[in-house]
Amino acid sequence: MFKEFAKGLSITFKHLLPGHSTTVQYPHVKLKPSDRFRGLHRLVPTQDREKCVACYLCPTVCPAKCITVESAENDKGEKYPAVYRIDLLRCIFCGYCVEACPVEAIEMTAEYELANYQREIFAYNKERLLR
Amino acid sequence: MTPVSLSNNWPLFLTTMIVKILVVFVVLILIVAYATWVERKVIGHMQTRLGPMETGWHGLLQPIADGLKLFFKEDIIPSQASKFTFVLAPMMLLVPAFITFAVVPFGPDIEIGGYLVTQQIADLNVGVLYVLAMAGLGAYGIVLAGWSSNSKYSLLGGIRSTAQMISYELAAGLSIVAVFMLAETLSLREIVMLQREPLWGVVDFLPNWYVFSQPLAFGLFVVASLAEINRVPFDLPEAETELVSGFCTEYSSMKYALFFMAEYANMVVISAIAATLFLGGWSGPFPGFINLLIKIFAFMFFFIWLRATFPRVRYDQLMKLGWKIMLPLGLVNIALTAVVVILMQ
């Protein structure tokens, strides 16, 4: 019994020695998330417009029904999203929209600091998603 | 000129007394405040965390911030609580914890202006008995807090604490009995004096600390006092997992802070008593009180270390340990000591 007590005490003492702490001082030091991390969405731009062709695959596949798309045609006769809105309060960050997209127009970034004060701020429109 | 006792000159006696009390009180409060910081830091690092880091350098201002926060919090007294005892209980716990320190000697007698000044607030000839009595009084604080809150968790915490304190006070008391069978005095000052002699009167390089002659009693005392001050692994009166926060569930603001202070003050006092009874008190290589402080800090570190390491014991295990193991061991130790003392004469 006493042997086990001593063993436990030695383990905790070893951890007390410097260099054993695994804590990161978060707001001062930030870890880089993994490449596969699913953070805030981003609409990928090309030279003059967004890549998105408003095919409606992402709102269809979205399990949380948080994506709103309204398509329109520009002067060249190409389809583009006149409205592209993601309600981040409903989004579950599953990444299905990224998987479903046929033209790789939407992707997920590493940004995870999304807290804010008003509900309206969480409705991301096309301009905020095009970064 | 031989120094005279201060008690012949009452104004001087009063002044030195007040100065001594103030110094001891302030030091005690400081140790209590920073014990919370040390505990959070040490336990944090033992669990591979960092503990407080943001308030001041490595969180050094954390105790002050905590104190201020608790001070400005709303003081809630539950409407069904028994108000008088509800207010009285935290004081009943804190006061015995602090006044126990009155009998702890923290240095040799010094001579100032022809007067003999003892570095101890009061040299009671029944010092050890006083310590035990005050430890017993502390139990009332917890019981009253549990009862007057009028909440089931508090009541359960209070009842647990009564049973626990009674069973462990016996073991602690019995372990001390063996010490003053050797010392033949109850005065803590004389017990320290006796421990300055060479070990068993023959070994020159070691002091006659009673931990060498009474290792079993030392172990019993440390474990029993851990249980008596409700520290992990015997913190059943405030077992968070079962009783929310035990006897202090309904307390808030400064009253809660008093409970917290009492817990740490008890820790300091028990460390001081253990150091005085078994580890030679203030005697040692450094001047006076520094030795005692080192011993107190060592004990407190040990208590914190235990808290980071061991899980809480179950209630029946606690009772079994107290009545079936520690009490018989204490009695056996007394019997053995008695035989040895008679044989040595």
Side-chain angles (χ1 to χ4, degrees):
Chain A
M1 186 173 75
F2 289 104
K3 204 180 140 198
E4 279 80 15
F5 284 169
K7 206 172 159 188
L9 285 173
S10 77
I11 287 173
T12 39
F13 191 80
K14 261 178 225 151
H15 285 184
L16 178 67
L17 301 175
H20 280 271
S21 173
T22 49
T23 308
V24 173
Q25 285 293 85
Y26 164 59
H28 311 299
V29 185
K30 284 172 187 165
L31 291 179
K32 194 184 163 293
S34 140
D35 289 338
R36 301 173 57 188
F37 185 81
R38 301 197 297 262
L40 180 66
H41 311 69
R42 168 172 176 262
L43 281 176
V44 185
T46 56
Q47 277 90 352
D48 52 344
R49 53 164 286 190
E50 63 283 333
K51 251 185 179 176
C52 179
V53 292
C55 67
Y56 290 100
L57 275 177
C58 45
T60 315
V61 79
C62 180
K65 295 275 170 280
C66 66
I67 308 180
T68 315
V69 185
E70 277 169 28
S71 87
E73 263 182 40
N74 63 10
D75 337 326
K76 293 184 223 161
E78 298 166 335
K79 274 172 82 184
Y80 77 98
V83 174
Y84 195 102
R85 197 168 55 236
I86 297 181
D87 183 0
L88 276 196
L89 288 178
R90 306 195 72 182
C91 180
I92 57 170
F93 296 93
C94 61
Y96 282 9
C97 45
V98 180
E99 272 181 46
C101 186
V103 291
E104 292 184 346
I106 186 165
E107 61 182 31
M108 296 191 106
T109 59
E111 184 158 348
Y112 52 88
E113 287 161 321
L114 302 172
N116 224 316
Y117 289 101
Q118 274 123 33
R119 300 183 73 86
E120 297 77 52
I121 297 173
F122 290 95
Y124 277 68
N125 58 19
K126 192 171 80 177
E127 284 66 41
R128 286 175 71 198
L129 288 168
L130 271 169
R131 286 177 307 127
Chain B
M1 192 179 81
T2 49
V4 253
S5 168
L6 260 179
S7 45
N8 298 329
N9 184 339
W10 73 263
L12 259 181
F13 178 75
L14 204 66
T15 343
T16 43
M17 222 39 169
I18 289 172
V19 167
K20 273 194 280 190
I21 289 171
L22 277 180
V23 168
V24 168
F25 186 71
V26 168
V27 170
L28 211 53
I29 289 269
L30 275 179
I31 296 179
V32 165
Y34 274 88
T36 61
W37 176 80
V38 170
E39 171 150 46
R40 289 175 67 177
K41 277 309 234 193
V42 168
I43 290 187
H45 279 279
M46 281 178 172
Q47 297 167 344
T48 70
R49 297 181 287 117
L50 290 173
M53 288 293 281
E54 293 297 312
T55 30
W57 185 82
H58 281 245
L60 259 178
L61 297 176
Q62 192 66 44
I64 299 164
D66 285 343
L68 278 177
K69 186 204 79 170
L70 282 168
F71 192 79
F72 287 113
K73 278 219 156 187
E74 187 189 354
D75 193 5
I76 300 165
I77 298 179
S79 60
Q80 298 298 306
S82 168
K83 292 201 180 53
F84 179 69
T85 36
F86 189 81
V87 177
L88 184 71
M91 306 175 200
M92 287 278 293
L93 194 59
L94 186 65
V95 169
F98 274 109
I99 57 180
T100 313
F101 216 83
V103 289
V104 175
F106 41 87
D109 298 349
I110 42 174
E111 195 190 320
I112 299 174
Y115 287 104
L116 193 69
V117 181
T118 53
Q119 291 197 50
Q120 182 182 20
I121 292 173
D123 179 25
L124 291 187
N125 51 6
V126 288
V128 181
L129 214 56
Y130 171 83
V131 170
L132 288 175
M134 287 306 132
L137 260 186
Y140 281 102
I142 293 184
V143 176
L144 280 181
W147 176 76
S148 62
S149 300
N150 211 353
S151 137
K152 56 191 165 203
Y153 301 117
S154 305
L155 186 60
L156 278 171
I159 290 171
R160 279 186 177 189
S161 146
T162 343
Q164 181 177 330
M165 282 195 164
I166 290 171
S167 28
Y168 279 86
E169 231 166 68
L170 265 168
L174 286 179
S175 62
I176 300 181
V177 168
V179 168
F180 46 73
M181 281 168 87
L182 294 181
E184 293 175 8
T185 173
L186 285 176
S187 153
L188 288 176
R189 184 163 158 261
E190 280 167 45
I191 287 178
V192 172
M193 287 303 189
L194 284 167
Q195 291 184 78
R196 298 182 73 195
E197 290 161 13
L199 185 60
W200 301 315
V202 282
V203 188
D204 287 331
F205 55 92
L206 278 177
N208 188 23
W209 290 0
Y210 287 129
V211 66
F212 297 128
S213 5
Q214 293 287 354
L216 181 61
F218 176 67
L220 283 177
F221 182 76
V222 170
V223 176
S225 34
L226 260 181
E228 218 178 294
I229 59 175
N230 304 322
R231 283 288 297 183
V232 179
F234 305 107
D235 61 337
L236 285 140
E238 43 176 303
E240 292 92 350
T241 38
E242 307 139 41
L243 297 183
V244 189
S245 195
F247 56 89
C248 45
T249 305
E250 305 294 337
Y251 281 88
S252 55
S253 183
M254 257 339 250
K255 292 208 203 70
Y256 181 75
L258 288 186
F259 278 120
F260 227 78
M261 280 163 70
E263 188 186 325
Y264 286 90
N266 267 323
M267 238 167 99
V268 181
V269 166
I270 285 293
S271 310
I273 300 290
T276 308
L277 286 176
F278 292 98
L279 296 182
W282 50 262
S283 63
F286 303 105
F289 68 97
I290 296 177
N291 292 310
L292 186 65
L293 278 183
I294 289 172
K295 285 163 193 170
I296 288 177
F297 291 153
F299 265 112
M300 305 230 339
F301 175 76
F302 181 65
F303 291 159
I304 292 170
W305 190 8
L306 286 181
R307 177 168 172 187
T309 309
F310 296 128
R312 187 181 299 128
V313 295
R314 220 167 49 218
Y315 193 64
D316 59 309
Q317 292 171 332
L318 175 96
M319 283 296 150
K320 194 180 150 197
L321 183 67
W323 290 105
K324 290 188 177 169
I325 298 175
M326 299 198 26
L327 193 65
L329 273 180
L331 287 170
V332 165
N333 193 39
I334 290 178
L336 280 179
T337 315
V339 171
V340 171
V341 166
I342 289 173
L343 288 180
M344 294 294 274
Q345 275 172 355

